[in-house]
Amino acid sequence: MGIVVLTMKASVIEMFLIFLVTGIHSNKEITKKIKRPKITVPQINCDVKAGKIINPEFMAKCPAGCQDPKYHVYGTDVYASYSSVCGAAVHSGVLDNSGGKILVRKVAGQPGYKGSYSNGVQSLSLPRWRESFIVSEGKPKKGVTYPSALTYSSSKSPAAKAGETTKAYQKPSVPGTATRPVTLTQTPMTTAAKASHTTLPKASPSVAFTTSSPRPQPTGHEPRELDLWSATTYTSSQNSSSANPGIQRQDSSGAAFQRPAAMDVSLGFVPKEELSTQPLEPVSQGDPSCRVDLSFVIDGSSSIGKRRFRIQKQFLVDIAQALDIGPAGPLMGVVQYGDNPATQFNLKTHMNSRDVKAAIEKMTPRGGLSNVGRALSFVTKNFFSKASGNRGGAPNVAVVMVDGWPTDKVEEASRLARESGINIFLITIEGAVEKEKQYVTEPNFASKAVCRTSGFYSLNVQSWFSLHKTLQPLVKRVCDSNRLACSKTCFNSADIGFVIDGSSSVGTSNFRTLLQFVANVSKEFEISDTDTRIGAVQYTYEQRLEFGFDQYSSKPDILNAIKRVGYWSGGTSTGAAINYALEQLFKKSKPNKRKLMVLITDGRSYDDVRIPAMAAHQKGVITYAIGVAWAAQDELEVIATHPARDHSFFVDEFDNLYKSVPRIIQNICTEFNSQPRN
C-alpha cells in the first residue's frame, strides 16, 4: 500500500513539473507573438518654432537640411521658444544635417540667451523670453507616453498658446429660451487645466457700458513668463426673484458695468421702444493748444505677453482721451512692431478720441522680436506722409514703447528720423537690470534713439503696472511745441540771406543765371513764416534790399520775387555789402532761427572784407562764399565761416553754378545735424 501511495505522489509531482514547464514555454511563445506597440513620432519641418507647439514635452522627427541659416536659433544649450526646433537640435549636436528623432522639453523663460557658433549653426543672442526648451536624443523615457500628433497654437486663437480660458460668444441654440444667470470668473490656468468654453448670448452693439471707477492697480508683479488674465469677473444676479435681473461686468475694484435689464438677452437686441431718442453729444474738434501729429509705436513682440499688451492698449486709450483728439488739435495714429512693423491706423483714420479708443481696443499683438530700429525706419518712410494725414504745419512726434530692450540697433534709424523732423520719445518699461545688460544688443540705446539726450524725451518705467503714472508727464511734453527741438530741421529752421553781386563785370545774361542759382537753392527749403525764410540784397558800390525775411511767406512768392530782381550794374564793394546785410536783413532775424548768408561774387572787392566778415561770424551768421570766374580765392576764404573748405566754393563760369547746389545743401544740413543733442 505504501508503494502505491509513493508511486501516486511521484506521478503528481511529475505532472506538476510538466505543467509548470509547459506553462513557462507557452508564456514565452505568447510573449514572442505579442509585439510591443510601435511609437509614432510626428514629423515637423525645419521652420517650426518651439513656441508654436503647445505640448510641454514631445518627440519629433526632423527632416534633413535644418542647418540652413534661414532657420533662426536663439541661445546655447537652452533655447528661446522663438527658435527653430530642428535648428536648435543641430546646433546642440543632438542631430546632424541629415535629420532624425529628437526629444524636446519646455522649460521656463530665461533672462537672456547668448548666441554661439556650433555644429555649423550660428545661434543668435536674444533678450529675456517667456519660454525656453531643451533638446536631447530621441529616446523615450520609461513610463512616459508621448503624443503621436502635436498640438499647434493657432494665430486665430491666441489664448490657446498660453493655455488660457477662452470664451465663445454665441446665441443660444434655441432662440427665445430663457438664459439662466451665470457667474464666470477668469483665472490663470494650471498646466493640468484645459481651455474651457462658455457660451454667452451676443450683446447688442447698441448697448453702451459706462464706468466711473479708476483702473485697478495690481499690487504685485508676476514673473515675465507668466501671461495672466486680468482680474475681471463677469457676474449676474443669481436671485431669480430680483426685481432687476441683468448681467454686469465687474472689475476687481468692485465697479460694475450694468447692462440694462430691459434687454432681451436671449435674442441679443434691445426693443425699439427702449432705444434712447436723445441727440448725440457734439464731437470735439480737438484741443487747439496741442496741435501735433502723433504716432505711437507700440511693442507687439512675443516677449510682452497678452496681459502687458492689454495694459499698453489701456494706456493708449487714456492718452487719446487726455489729448482730446480732433482736426483742430492733436491727431493720433498707431504703428505696432514685432519682427516687422505695420500701421494699425494712420493720422487721418480717426478724428476724435472715441473712435481712436474703439480702434485701439481691436488691436492684437503681432508677435516676434522687438525690432525697434526697423519700426523707426518704417515710421520715417511711411507714417508721416501727406497720404497718411500729415498736416505739414503740425510737429511730428513719435512715442516709442519698448518692453525691456530692442533686439536690433536703433542709432542709424533714429538719426534719419531726427533729420526728417520727427521728435522721438522713448518709454522703456522694465528695462535691463545690471545682470541683463550683457544681453542688450545696443548699449545706451535709449540715448541714441531719442530726439535729445536732455532727459525730456526719455521715460523709464520700472513696472508695467506703473505705466499709468507717465500719462500726464507725457501729454504735457508732447504738447509743448516750443520744446520739440527735432521739429526743426536743416530745411525748415533758417533765415537765409542772399547777398548778390550786381557789378558791371557780371553782365545781364550772367545775372539771370545767378538769379536761377538763388532760386535753385531756395526751392530746396520749406518756406513759410514759421519755417525757413528768404531775403535778398544786391550790391555794387551801393547796396539795395530786394526783399526782407518777413516780406514773402510761401515758396511760389519767393521764386517770383527772385525773378523780378533787376540787374543794377556798377562796382564791387563786398565788405560794405556784408555790413548792409547784417543791418538790414539779419538784424531782423528771429532768435530761434539759424542765420545763413550766401554771398555770390565774380571778382575782388574794392573795399576790405576782413572786418565785416569777422562781424558776421561774431553775430552768429554762418556765411557761405561762392566765387565765379575772377573771384579772389583768398577773399572767399576770409568771408566764409570756418572751416573754409566747407563754406567756400568756386566755379569757373556762371553756367556751372548749378553744379554746386547739391554740395551747398548737403553742407548746410551736415552742419545742422552735427549740433550737440543735449
Side-chain angles (χ1 to χ4, degrees):
M1 185 68 179
I3 296 172
V4 174
V5 172
L6 288 174
T7 303
M8 288 177 67
K9 287 183 177 180
S11 298
V12 171
I13 292 171
E14 184 178 357
M15 290 176 66
F16 175 76
L17 291 174
I18 292 171
F19 174 79
L20 183 63
V21 172
T22 303
I24 293 172
H25 180 73
S26 298
N27 286 339
K28 286 182 178 179
E29 290 297 324
I30 293 170
T31 303
K32 288 179 181 179
K33 290 179 181 179
I34 299 175
K35 295 182 179 179
R36 291 184 179 179
K38 189 176 181 180
I39 299 174
T40 302
V41 179
Q43 177 88 33
I44 61 174
N45 295 326
C46 295
D47 60 354
V48 172
K49 299 173 182 177
K52 292 290 184 182
I53 301 174
I54 294 176
N55 307 85
E57 189 170 3
F58 59 90
M59 290 185 66
K61 186 176 181 181
C62 293
C66 296
Q67 199 177 52
D68 194 308
K70 69 181 179 181
Y71 306 121
H72 295 164
V73 178
Y74 300 90
T76 302
D77 296 329
V78 179
Y79 302 95
S81 63
Y82 197 66
S83 304
S84 158
V85 174
C86 296
V90 176
H91 181 271
S92 65
V94 173
L95 294 181
D96 57 24
N97 201 36
S98 61
K101 296 178 183 178
I102 57 172
L103 178 60
V104 178
R105 180 168 57 90
K106 300 283 189 73
V107 294
Q110 303 294 306
Y113 300 83
K114 275 285 189 182
S116 64
Y117 183 81
S118 178
N119 301 306
V121 175
Q122 176 65 60
S123 69
L124 307 173
S125 296
L126 189 70
R128 54 191 173 189
W129 205 255
R130 63 183 181 186
E131 185 182 59
S132 311
F133 69 99
I134 297 171
V135 187
S136 57
E137 291 184 14
K139 295 180 179 179
K141 298 177 183 177
K142 291 183 179 180
V144 179
T145 302
Y146 298 97
S148 58
L150 301 178
T151 305
Y152 291 84
S153 61
S154 170
S155 58
K156 294 182 180 179
S157 304
K161 296 181 184 180
E164 296 177 337
T165 303
T166 61
K167 303 192 302 297
Y169 290 90
Q170 301 170 349
K171 290 183 179 180
S173 56
V174 181
T177 303
T179 304
R180 291 177 60 84
V182 180
T183 299
L184 300 179
T185 303
Q186 294 175 338
T187 59
M189 283 197 63
T190 61
T191 55
K194 302 290 184 181
S196 63
H197 297 267
T198 304
T199 301
L200 290 179
K202 282 188 177 180
S204 167
S206 63
V207 178
F209 291 27
T210 59
T211 180
S212 59
S213 65
R215 260 175 84 211
Q217 296 305 320
T219 57
H221 189 323
E222 79 282 11
R224 171 164 292 275
E225 61 271 13
L226 292 180
D227 183 19
L228 304 179
W229 281 83
S230 57
T232 304
T233 306
Y234 293 87
T235 67
S236 67
S237 171
Q238 298 205 17
N239 183 358
S240 59
S241 62
S242 173
N244 293 297
I247 295 179
Q248 295 179 330
R249 180 183 176 190
Q250 187 178 58
D251 67 16
S252 58
S253 65
F257 303 84
Q258 177 68 47
R259 177 180 291 175
M263 178 188 295
D264 186 339
V265 176
S266 62
L267 295 179
F269 66 90
V270 179
K272 186 175 180 180
E273 60 272 15
E274 296 294 333
L275 295 175
S276 173
T277 58
Q278 295 180 356
L280 294 174
E281 294 182 9
V283 178
S284 171
Q285 292 299 301
D287 180 3
S289 66
C290 181
R291 194 171 185 272
V292 295
D293 287 345
L294 177 63
S295 169
F296 268 88
V297 186
I298 66 169
D299 194 336
S301 64
S302 299
S303 66
I304 193 172
K306 296 180 186 65
R307 185 176 191 180
R308 292 174 177 82
F309 191 77
R310 284 194 294 271
I311 294 173
Q312 186 175 218
K313 290 202 301 182
Q314 183 60 52
F315 179 71
L316 296 188
V317 168
D318 295 343
I319 286 283
Q321 292 176 334
L323 284 173
D324 187 12
I325 303 297
L331 293 181
M332 176 176 166
V334 175
V335 170
Q336 185 187 162
Y337 67 88
D339 281 337
N340 295 296
T343 300
Q344 302 291 290
F345 55 91
N346 63 30
L347 294 168
K348 66 180 183 181
T349 308
H350 304 296
M351 290 292 160
N352 58 71
S353 298
R354 181 188 60 205
D355 291 346
V356 168
K357 175 185 177 182
I360 291 169
E361 289 174 345
K362 294 177 182 177
M363 295 189 308
T364 57
R366 294 178 63 81
L369 303 177
S370 298
N371 288 331
V372 177
R374 189 175 293 178
L376 285 173
S377 296
F378 176 86
V379 168
T380 303
K381 294 175 183 177
N382 301 287
F383 188 85
F384 290 110
S385 65
K386 188 174 182 180
S388 296
N390 187 18
R391 291 174 287 184
N396 294 162
V397 177
V399 179
V400 183
M401 302 182 68
V402 183
D403 175 49
W405 57 88
T407 51
D408 63 349
K409 294 187 177 182
V410 303
E411 185 171 20
E412 180 63 16
S414 299
R415 182 185 67 79
L416 293 174
R418 290 194 300 272
E419 291 177 5
S420 299
I422 301 173
N423 296 272
I424 302 175
F425 287 80
L426 189 74
I427 303 178
T428 306
I429 306 102
E430 298 181 12
V433 297
E434 193 61 39
K435 66 180 181 180
E436 294 175 329
K437 289 182 178 179
Q438 59 178 317
Y439 303 113
V440 178
T441 305
E442 186 176 31
N444 301 318
F445 69 89
S447 62
K448 295 174 182 177
V450 294
C451 170
R452 295 287 185 269
T453 57
S454 58
F456 180 77
Y457 293 88
S458 301
L459 292 164
N460 295 309
V461 184
Q462 296 300 314
S463 165
W464 277 96
F465 304 126
S466 302
L467 181 60
H468 66 283
K469 296 179 182 178
T470 66
L471 189 149
Q472 290 302 328
L474 180 63
V475 168
K476 184 177 180 181
R477 294 182 193 187
V478 299
C479 291
D480 191 352
S481 57
N482 292 327
R483 295 190 66 181
L484 297 178
C486 284
S487 295
K488 300 179 178 68
T489 71
C490 61
F491 298 108
N492 68 7
S493 61
D495 280 344
I496 304 176
F498 289 94
V499 181
I500 304 167
D501 186 347
S503 61
S504 302
S505 58
V506 174
T508 304
S509 177
N510 286 335
F511 189 76
R512 305 318 302 175
T513 304
L514 191 157
L515 291 181
Q516 185 59 54
F517 166 79
V518 173
N520 289 344
V521 173
S522 298
K523 69 175 61 173
E524 294 293 326
F525 293 87
E526 299 170 21
I527 297 172
S528 76
D529 56 350
T530 57
D531 295 313
T532 291
R533 304 185 303 170
I534 305 291
V537 166
Q538 184 182 177
Y539 74 95
T540 57
Y541 284 127
E542 300 178 280
Q543 306 83 35
R544 160 171 102 193
L545 179 65
E546 300 294 351
F547 52 88
F549 291 136
D550 57 356
Q551 194 165 344
Y552 302 106
S553 58
S554 72
K555 190 174 293 187
D557 288 346
I558 286 292
L559 297 179
N560 286 330
I562 293 169
K563 287 181 182 179
R564 292 195 298 268
V565 173
Y567 177 46
W568 204 358
S569 187
T572 309
S573 294
T574 306
I578 294 173
N579 281 331
Y580 182 86
L582 292 177
E583 186 67 24
Q584 297 299 319
L585 270 181
F586 292 101
K587 194 172 184 179
K588 300 176 182 179
S589 182
K590 291 184 178 180
N592 63 338
K593 298 289 186 181
R594 295 172 69 234
K595 304 175 186 66
L596 303 180
M597 180 190 296
V598 180
L599 185 145
I600 311 104
T601 183
D602 78 331
R604 184 177 289 277
S605 177
Y606 294 169
D607 62 354
D608 181 64
V609 299
R610 294 178 182 275
I611 294 176
M614 187 178 297
H617 301 161
Q618 289 174 346
K619 291 180 179 180
V621 178
I622 301 168
T623 306
Y624 289 83
I626 292 91
V628 187
W630 302 280
Q633 187 68 40
D634 59 332
E635 278 191 352
L636 296 177
E637 292 178 357
V638 168
I639 295 169
T641 297
H642 180 79
R645 67 176 181 274
D646 295 331
H647 298 84
S648 66
F649 302 84
F650 181 83
V651 295
D652 55 358
E653 56 184 46
F654 282 92
D655 287 342
N656 289 329
L657 269 173
Y658 76 94
K659 295 180 180 178
S660 62
V661 173
R663 189 180 164 205
I664 292 170
I665 299 299
Q666 180 182 357
N667 286 12
I668 288 173
C669 287
T670 299
E671 183 176 54
F672 177 86
N673 294 324
S674 65
Q675 296 176 100
R677 290 179 51 234
N678 51 26

